[in-house]
Amino acid sequence: MAKRELIPAKKEKAHERVKTFRNELADYRQQFEGLKRERDEQQTSVNRTELLGRRPHHASTPENPYSNSSQAAAQSSPFRPANASAFGASPTDYNRETHALREQTFMSSTNTQLDEFLDRGRAVLGDLGQQREMLKGTQRKLYSVANTLGISGDTIRMVERRAKQDKWIFWAGVIIFFVFCYLVVRWLR
């Protein structure tokens, strides 16, 4: 599409947009590959620790069946707190940790989404600024064309003044219309 543009400024702008799009695409691909590599390495390390961290088969059934008797006595001790587990963490601590983890992941995803929204807003604002400059340039060109056709600056100013007056007349009419509608509704009640 950029090659079909007739105006050189638009053609150049389109080429710049294509170039920035390609650069961003390459950056995103590199980031994706990096994240993919990190995930693979993490999965490999998890698999390795899972494989190497397994208990040997001879430890599953101890040679002395009464070796855990001290643990059983400690668990049935009257001095042991009622809600404590054998590992030192209560079930409420586990629930708190899972809740905190969910909250943290929610906050991080919200933060990421807000950053994306802000980036989109900045891009839209930049595009609006460019469009404004383009429209101002078009207006200047129209004025110069009008001047070359023989329309004087006074005539152009008169047309602009008339447009401003028409705008005020329009808004005054809108206000009068709403006041009229309000009075009709109030009168009919």
Side-chain angles (χ1 to χ4, degrees):
M1 281 181 103
K3 294 178 182 177
R4 287 187 260 160
E5 280 293 334
L6 298 176
I7 301 172
K10 284 187 178 180
K11 184 183 281 190
E12 181 180 329
K13 189 174 183 179
H15 282 297
E16 287 178 23
R17 284 184 179 171
V18 168
K19 186 190 297 183
T20 57
F21 176 74
R22 287 182 179 157
N23 289 339
E24 288 175 357
L25 180 64
D27 289 341
Y28 288 137
R29 284 184 178 163
Q30 287 176 352
Q31 288 176 358
F32 177 72
E33 290 299 321
L35 290 172
K36 192 173 168 184
R37 242 182 282 112
E38 286 179 20
R39 184 187 166 283
D40 289 343
E41 290 172 2
Q42 185 180 16
Q43 187 66 33
T44 302
S45 67
V46 166
N47 289 343
R48 178 177 292 137
T49 56
E50 182 184 338
L51 182 63
L52 298 177
R54 290 187 181 159
R55 294 174 37 190
H57 70 284
H58 62 76
S60 62
T61 55
E63 293 179 13
N64 184 359
Y66 301 108
S67 64
N68 292 334
S69 63
S70 63
Q71 286 180 357
Q75 286 181 352
S76 64
S77 170
F79 301 109
R80 185 174 153 256
N83 62 351
S85 69
F87 300 112
S90 66
T92 57
D93 290 341
Y94 177 74
N95 289 337
R96 285 183 192 153
E97 289 175 4
T98 56
H99 179 70
L101 180 62
R102 280 185 299 181
E103 184 177 350
Q104 193 271 338
T105 55
F106 174 75
M107 290 296 192
S108 65
S109 67
T110 303
N111 188 20
T112 304
Q113 288 178 346
L114 285 175
D115 288 340
E116 290 175 4
F117 291 150
L118 288 173
D119 289 340
R120 287 181 193 162
R122 286 185 192 112
V124 167
L125 184 62
D127 288 344
L128 287 174
Q130 290 174 352
Q131 289 175 4
R132 179 177 181 267
E133 293 300 320
M134 187 184 308
L135 288 174
K136 282 198 171 261
T138 304
Q139 184 182 22
R140 280 188 225 111
K141 287 178 185 177
L142 285 175
Y143 284 153
S144 67
V145 167
N147 281 332
T148 57
L149 290 176
I151 300 176
S152 68
D154 293 334
T155 308
I156 293 174
R157 282 190 285 281
M158 186 178 66
V159 168
E160 287 178 348
R161 191 173 352 111
R162 178 62 189 198
K164 190 180 289 187
Q165 290 172 351
D166 288 347
K167 182 174 68 170
W168 284 105
I169 291 169
F170 170 77
W171 286 113
V174 167
I175 292 170
I176 290 170
F177 174 74
F178 281 117
V179 168
F180 177 74
C181 289
Y182 172 74
L183 292 175
V184 167
V185 168
R186 189 171 172 107
W187 181 66
L188 289 177
R189 283 190 188 177

